[in-house]
Amino acid sequence: MLIITCLACGSIYAQPNTDSLAYQNQRQKINAMLAARSAKFDQYDASLSKHTGIFGMQTKKDIRRSNDILMDIVKTDNDILKQTKVLLTFKNNQLDSRVFQQQTIQTKVHETESNVLAYMNTINKLRDQNDKLQAGIKNAEKGQSTMEFWLIAVIFLFIITSILFVLSKKRAIKM
């Protein structure tokens, strides 16, 4: 039973975990988004240093371009936060799944242990009953052999008494 339980536990852990694959894909997606954000921030930094106006001043067009890049960075940040929430959900689900598997395994182990103990108790009770029955059989055999002895003795005494009685009658008739 213990070996079967160990094999069952091993097969549970040997199965590929699709949640971990989704978790890894989600991490890669977030890392790609972070790299894109870093590139956009570099673009924003470069746009801040551009001054295409007269006397080296920034124009409205330069400021709008910088603001557009900044808004794109904010959108990317929001998307990163959403995807991070999804990633945390995957992680929590993995933890919940592992806890559930461990609880299931522990429950099966406890059930197996209790079944083994119950079987052992039953075997011990049956052994005790068998010992009592064997002792009863020996006592019955001793009683039977004793009864057979007394029966044979009584029959032998009856035969001897009968022979003596017949002989005494024959002597009495002859005399």
Side-chain angles (χ1 to χ4, degrees), residues 28-42:
Q28 289 174 354
K29 185 177 181 180
I30 291 173
N31 287 337
M33 292 173 81
L34 287 171
R37 183 197 183 281
S38 178
K40 288 177 186 177
F41 190 78
D42 289 340

Side-chain angles (χ1 to χ4, degrees), residues 79-137:
D79 289 340
I80 289 172
L81 287 175
K82 287 177 188 176
Q83 297 304 320
T84 304
K85 286 181 184 178
V86 171
L87 183 70
L88 289 175
T89 303
F90 282 145
K91 189 65 173 178
N92 288 338
N93 288 343
Q94 281 181 338
L95 292 175
D96 291 343
S97 175
R98 286 181 185 159
V99 167
F100 177 73
Q101 285 177 349
Q102 287 175 349
Q103 288 174 346
T104 304
I105 291 169
Q106 286 175 352
T107 302
K108 286 182 182 181
V109 167
H110 289 299
E111 287 176 2
T112 304
E113 286 176 355
S114 64
N115 287 343
V116 167
L117 289 175
Y119 290 144
M120 289 173 60
N121 287 335
T122 303
I123 289 170
N124 287 337
K125 286 179 185 177
L126 290 174
R127 282 182 183 164
D128 291 343
Q129 287 178 354
N130 189 24
D131 291 342
K132 288 178 184 177
L133 290 174
Q134 291 293 334
I137 289 171

Side-chain angles (χ1 to χ4, degrees), residues 43-54 56-73:
Q43 287 176 355
Y44 175 71
D45 195 33
S47 74
L48 286 178
S49 63
K50 281 190 179 179
H51 299 286
T52 59
I54 301 174
M57 304 287 280
Q58 274 189 331
T59 62
K60 285 184 184 179
K61 201 175 195 181
D62 292 336
I63 294 172
R64 281 190 192 135
R65 193 174 308 127
S66 295
N67 283 343
D68 288 342
I69 294 171
L70 190 59
M71 290 303 292
D72 197 27
I73 290 172

